[in-house]
Amino acid sequence: MFENFSEMMLELFATSLWETLIMVGISGLVGALIGIPLGVFLRLTDRGGVLENGPANKIVGWIVNAVRSTPFIILLVAIIPLTRFITGSSIGTAAAVVPLTIADAPFVARLVEASLREVDNGLIEAAQAMGATTSQI
């Protein structure tokens, strides 16, 4: 199967595959580190949440929805100055991690929020009745 490919083509393929794995891995990890607390915050401040705060939830929810609904190519171009500030370049593997992370975090946040919505309210009430703090819940 690979006899039709030159050594240079296979080397280029291997390099590109490695760069892709790096971009996806780093952006996925950092996106999760941002998205998980964001999703927990969205659930805690939602109506019926432990730290119910309508205005904060609306603002953060609006930002999450805005980033999620923005096409990636537009997001990529819109944050070129931020990318250049963080990485020193607007092209390449390192530069691609910034917009991928910013696009990934809101998706993770909504997944976490949706998962936490599935927790039975009776379980949360029972934890509060036993004196659990918000961070313990």
Side-chain angles (χ1 to χ4, degrees), residues 33-101:
L33 290 175
I34 295 169
I36 291 171
L38 195 59
V40 171
F41 175 81
L42 284 169
R43 179 61 190 122
L44 288 176
T45 59
D46 199 10
R47 188 178 321 124
V50 177
L51 301 173
E52 188 171 337
N53 186 344
N57 186 277
K58 294 276 187 217
I59 292 169
V60 174
W62 183 86
I63 292 169
V64 166
N65 287 338
V67 174
R68 283 184 65 210
S69 63
T70 304
F72 182 73
I73 192 71
I74 294 173
L75 179 68
L76 181 77
V77 172
I79 64 168
I80 284 176
L82 176 66
T83 302
R84 206 174 270 147
F85 175 75
I86 292 173
T87 64
S89 175
S90 60
I91 59 172
T93 305
V97 170
V98 176
L100 283 170
T101 300

Side-chain angles (χ1 to χ4, degrees), residues 107-131:
F107 283 100
V108 173
R110 286 296 181 198
L111 286 172
V112 169
E113 181 188 16
S115 295
L116 291 175
R117 282 185 194 282
E118 299 298 319
V119 175
D120 186 26
N121 283 339
L123 185 63
I124 295 170
E125 289 175 14
Q128 286 174 327
M130 288 188 279

